[in-house]
Amino acid sequence: MIVITAPTGNIGRHLLSLLLESAPAAGEELRVIVRDPARLPDAARGRVDVVTGSHADAEVLDRAFEGADAVFWLVPPDSSLTPQDGWTGFTRPAAKALAAHGVGHAVGVSALGRGTPLADRAGLVTASLAMDDLIADTGVAYRALANPSFFENLLEEVDSIREQGLFIDTVDADRKAPFVAVADIAATAAGLLLDRSWTGTGSVPVLGPQDLSPNDLARIMTEQLGRPVRYERQSLEEMYATLVGYGLNKEFVQGIVDMKRAKDEGLDAGVARTPDTASPTSFEQWCAQTLKPAVDS
């Protein structure tokens, strides 16, 4: 029995689709924790056990983890909470439930940066790494998916790209770093959940096929979208003021600022890309398949 949290989210929906295809042949049953079962895809109807509720709720987790062999764990960012409450606070009931039910394996969505000098001052990333430690301390075999920034973050910039030919971030225009498609994260998670021959705790980096700078992203978007796209660098102070102005928790916003600063100082550069850490989806492919339809709609 594999339990999937956040099965309708960016990563979870890809993971659920993959496991619906491959889990039956592996003799695995699937269970999902979801607030609104109506949001599940039609392909899941009658094929997954559904536990309705939030995976922050200890009672929901107690029902969901009963008889579970493996769990996919994802914390949905909550901008109304501090980073500590958002990641470790949210995960604490899960850590108790993993131990109480003797779940053998867990795979979590985390971030790059562990072991670097920036790890303890990287805001949301630091909170995510603390979440990994909390799960690992339960004794469950645990793999943290150590991810860089997602291609999908650019979907928040669709209106600006369409209307102004512009996207904004805070890092240096020539700072190259890994980027990844969420579908590749889901594929890595599926492999770990289905083949549970691994033991102990550790990180599994998912780095995409190449490092890219904001200027690289702009050039490729220009090519793939058939319209000029440029990058504009925003100061961390401007970003902080903007996000606080939207009503976000000030400590959460500071966590974003600290993460962005750490990324601009090389937080994501601590892991070498190898055949084991690379993932296949290129930015060109992602633009053609995902960004262009969104911009053209």
Side-chain angles (χ1 to χ4, degrees), residues 27 91 104 108 133 146 214 217 240 293:
T91 302
D133 293 337
L217 298 177
Y240 180 89

Side-chain angles (χ1 to χ4, degrees), residues 37-118:
R39 294 185 60 201
L40 290 170
D42 291 342
R45 311 289 174 190
R47 298 181 59 196
V48 300
D49 184 27
V50 178
V51 175
T52 303
S54 166
H55 56 294
D57 186 322
E59 190 174 303
V60 170
L61 291 168
D62 193 54
R63 286 187 281 128
F65 288 4
E66 177 68 36
D69 296 290
V71 169
F72 172 74
W73 184 253
L74 183 150
V75 173
D78 187 337
S79 60
S80 70
L81 300 175
T82 69
Q84 181 177 359
D85 289 341
W87 270 265
T88 53
F90 189 100
T91 302
R92 196 163 283 114
K96 293 179 180 178
L98 286 168
H101 291 282
V103 177
H105 293 76
V107 174
V109 175
S110 189
L112 290 168
R114 183 174 294 279
T116 71
L118 298 162

Side-chain angles (χ1 to χ4, degrees), residues 18-255:
L18 290 170
L19 291 180
L20 284 170
E21 292 179 6
S22 54
E28 300 282 354
E29 296 182 3
L30 302 177
R31 179 181 291 155
V32 298
I33 306 174
V34 62
R35 289 179 182 269
D36 181 5
R39 294 185 60 201
L40 290 170
D42 291 342
R45 311 289 174 190
R47 298 181 59 196
V48 300
D49 184 27
V50 178
V51 175
T52 303
S54 166
H55 56 294
D57 186 322
E59 190 174 303
V60 170
L61 291 168
D62 193 54
R63 286 187 281 128
F65 288 4
E66 177 68 36
D69 296 290
V71 169
F72 172 74
W73 184 253
L74 183 150
V75 173
D78 187 337
S79 60
S80 70
L81 300 175
T82 69
Q84 181 177 359
D85 289 341
W87 270 265
T88 53
F90 189 100
T91 302
R92 196 163 283 114
K96 293 179 180 178
L98 286 168
H101 291 282
V103 177
H105 293 76
V107 174
V109 175
S110 189
L112 290 168
R114 183 174 294 279
T116 71
L118 298 162
D120 62 353
R121 49 188 173 92
L124 303 189
V125 168
T126 302
S128 184
L129 299 178
M131 173 201 74
D132 295 333
D133 293 337
L134 181 64
I135 296 174
D137 286 346
T138 67
V140 66
Y142 180 59
R143 290 295 180 271
L145 301 176
N147 301 305
S149 299
F150 303 163
F151 292 151
E152 280 71 12
N153 294 347
L154 283 164
L155 293 175
E156 299 175 8
E157 305 270 342
V158 162
D159 290 343
S160 177
I161 292 169
R162 181 193 303 117
E163 295 163 13
Q164 301 177 59
L166 174 70
F167 74 103
I168 295 172
D169 203 349
T170 61
V171 301
D172 183 271
D174 292 316
R175 160 70 71 180
K176 288 185 180 287
F179 285 84
V180 67
V182 295
D184 289 353
I185 300 170
T188 302
L192 290 165
L193 291 164
L194 290 170
D195 178 6
R196 299 190 292 275
S197 58
W198 45 275
T199 59
T201 62
S203 296
V204 178
V206 191
L207 302 181
Q210 66 181 131
D211 287 1
L212 297 164
S213 70
N215 279 342
D216 293 329
L217 298 177
R219 172 181 52 78
I220 293 169
M221 281 190 276
T222 296
E223 295 167 355
Q224 293 295 320
L225 301 180
R227 63 176 79 199
V229 178
R230 64 185 176 87
Y231 171 63
E232 183 175 294
R233 188 179 187 185
Q234 182 184 47
S235 73
L236 292 170
E237 293 75 18
E238 288 175 310
M239 186 183 71
Y240 180 89
T242 299
L243 294 178
V244 169
Y246 290 153
L248 277 61
N249 179 287
K250 288 184 178 180
E251 288 187 53
F252 185 90
V253 173
Q254 188 60 51

